[in-house]
Amino acid sequence: MMSLAVLACWSCAGLLAHVFVGYPLWMWLLAHVHPRPVHKRGITPTVTVIIAVHEGSRYIKAKLKSLHNMDYPQDLIDIIVACDGCNDATPALARHFGGSNTRVLRFPIRRGKAACLNDAVALARGDVLLMTDVRQRLSPMALRELTANLADPTVGAVGGELQMENVRSGFAQGVDAYWRYEKLIRQSESRSGSTVGVSGALYAIRRELFEPLPPGTVLDDVLVPMRVAATGRRVVFEPRAIAWDQPSQLPEQERKRKIRTLAGNYQLIQLAPWLIDPWRNPLWFRFVSHKLLRLMAPWMLLLFAFSTAALATRHLPYLWLLLLLLAGASLVVVGRVLPRLSRWLPVRLAVAFYYLNLFAAQALIAFTRNRGLHLW
């Protein structure tokens, strides 16, 4: 039994170290030792902007204004707003503020984002598709920066950067720190080849590379770029194309969105099993390291804790490991009981790490129970 506990302890420790430290470090080193630069050039292809939205009346006016204010020839842009079962004023507001280059598709029955994207792309006229969500404000140069990457014929899709604003609470600061960490990984993946995902808030793809999504797909921002990579084209990250978003200030506000997103990774394997086949997925190592092993992290943490506790009474090094785990758990408790201390860096990082892994564990339950996962 002790041998099994030792094996479990160090296997989990090694995998956790790979997921959160080893893989990001390996990508960083690869990006510096063997970089693959993108040959950017200012180009202005025709672009169809696609916004799939459900109940977005709070945001649609500002979103359309953001698109109309972009530094890009407006006669080369058309906009499609796909309203997915909207019962609010979204369709009327989109028609009123959209202008002559805006088409509004109103679907009375709520079917999910993927179905709306498929229908909208079928009507697209642009050589490039700009996918963006309704909530985020875009930088004026976002479209120019994205299309400049597509001047490189080896690039098939390019994702923008999601930046947080109005970061007030300790939890929001922790989420912001996570996004900065994620950005560093995506930058390294991009500089060394391809990223395994983009932000659904802002990404562009050559129209001829878009394939209709399976019904109910949650993570179009992972499946679409992975399909592009499978064709031999690169998927890159452009940090100068920015979408600004508001973070959740409390864990309860973040829970539903994050669980749905993480559960979407389980669904992705169900919809596209070729993603876990190293012979068919050219980004297999990156996909497993960046996406799949993160889903396993909460279970590895539990096994690591139990195995360390079992060994702590017999070997002093395991006792120190157990005390280190307890110290981390105490920071989470401090952050919840004393909110004023949640802004202290160790506390906010521990709290963010705890909730991200808690949500990852709950995502498995959500995936097995929730057949309406695709409905936002």
Side-chain angles (χ1 to χ4, degrees):
M1 289 297 292
M2 288 300 102
S3 297
L4 287 176
V6 170
L7 178 62
C9 177
W10 291 109
S11 296
C12 291
L15 285 171
L16 288 167
H18 170 73
V19 172
F20 296 109
V21 180
Y23 174 71
L25 181 60
W26 173 248
M27 286 295 104
W28 182 86
L29 288 171
L30 192 61
H32 284 76
V33 173
H34 186 41
R36 294 182 59 189
V38 176
H39 302 291
K40 295 174 61 176
R41 179 168 53 86
I43 58 172
T44 53
T46 55
V47 177
T48 296
V49 181
I50 296 178
I51 309 170
V53 56
H54 172 70
E55 311 290 54
S57 59
R58 291 173 54 198
Y59 309 105
I60 190 65
K61 179 181 176 180
K63 184 67 176 191
L64 292 171
K65 181 180 179 180
S66 175
L67 292 170
H68 290 145
N69 288 339
M70 283 197 297
D71 182 19
Y72 200 89
Q74 288 294 311
D75 60 327
L76 298 179
I77 301 175
D78 70 294
I79 302 170
I80 299 177
V81 180
C83 299
D84 185 31
C86 293
N87 294 312
D88 61 1
T90 301
L93 291 172
R95 292 189 182 97
H96 182 74
F97 294 104
S100 59
N101 66 340
T102 302
R103 286 175 285 172
V104 178
L105 307 180
R106 186 170 187 175
F107 303 108
I109 299 175
R110 190 178 174 193
R111 301 173 300 157
K113 183 179 181 181
C116 291
L117 292 180
N118 289 341
D119 289 343
V121 171
L123 299 174
R125 296 191 287 255
D127 294 325
V128 172
L129 304 175
L130 178 68
M131 306 295 197
T132 183
D133 290 336
V134 71
R135 193 174 67 244
Q136 295 85 11
R137 176 171 55 91
L138 306 183
S139 60
M141 292 297 293
L143 185 51
R144 281 195 182 272
E145 294 292 348
L146 293 175
T147 56
N149 287 270
L150 295 175
D152 188 329
T154 67
V155 175
V158 52
E161 178 183 346
L162 187 65
Q163 286 193 7
M164 300 296 174
E165 55 184 359
N166 192 27
V167 180
R168 300 193 308 271
S169 69
F171 177 77
Q173 291 175 354
V175 172
D176 184 54
Y178 164 77
W179 276 112
R180 293 175 186 272
Y181 167 78
E182 179 69 17
K183 181 179 75 170
L184 291 174
I185 297 175
R186 292 189 184 187
Q187 283 181 322
S188 297
E189 288 176 337
S190 175
R191 290 172 181 170
S192 62
S194 287
T195 67
V196 297
V198 294
S199 171
L202 179 63
Y203 69 96
I205 176 178
R206 300 180 191 272
R207 180 160 60 96
E208 71 269 17
L209 295 180
F210 182 90
E211 301 176 32
L213 295 162
T217 301
V218 172
L219 297 183
D220 64 281
D221 50 4
V222 177
L223 184 55
V224 169
M226 292 302 293
R227 283 175 165 180
V228 169
T231 69
R233 301 287 187 98
R234 292 178 65 186
V235 180
V236 298
F237 174 73
E238 177 50 71
R240 284 175 288 192
I242 301 171
W244 284 283
D245 202 359
Q246 304 280 337
S248 301
Q249 304 297 331
L250 298 171
E252 294 75 16
Q253 297 170 349
E254 180 74 359
R255 180 180 178 276
K256 182 178 180 181
R257 185 197 67 81
K258 196 63 182 178
I259 289 177
R260 178 180 177 274
T261 300
L262 291 167
N265 286 286
Y266 289 106
Q267 185 209 46
L268 205 60
I269 304 306
Q270 183 183 57
L271 295 176
W274 60 269
L275 290 171
I276 56 174
D277 184 346
W279 306 109
R280 298 174 62 192
N281 183 358
L283 301 182
W284 177 83
F285 174 73
R286 299 182 182 212
F287 179 75
V288 171
S289 299
H290 195 160
K291 295 295 181 181
L292 293 192
L293 288 179
R294 282 195 189 179
L295 294 177
M296 296 173 59
W299 313 110
M300 290 189 289
L301 282 166
L302 284 175
L303 185 56
F304 178 61
F306 285 133
S307 58
T308 302
L311 294 165
T313 58
R314 295 172 178 265
H315 304 283
L316 186 60
Y318 295 102
L319 176 60
W320 286 111
L321 279 176
L322 181 60
L323 292 174
L324 187 63
L325 285 172
L326 292 174
S330 68
L331 290 176
V332 177
V333 174
V334 167
R336 294 299 291 162
V337 176
L338 301 172
R340 286 182 298 176
L341 294 180
S342 64
R343 293 180 179 274
W344 185 40
L345 180 62
V347 173
R348 71 172 186 252
L349 292 180
V351 170
F353 184 78
Y354 165 75
Y355 276 108
L356 288 172
N357 282 283
L358 175 64
F359 297 155
Q362 293 174 331
L364 178 59
I365 300 171
F367 173 68
T368 57
R369 291 182 175 179
N370 186 5
R371 298 306 175 188
L373 184 68
H374 62 288
L375 297 177
W376 36 4

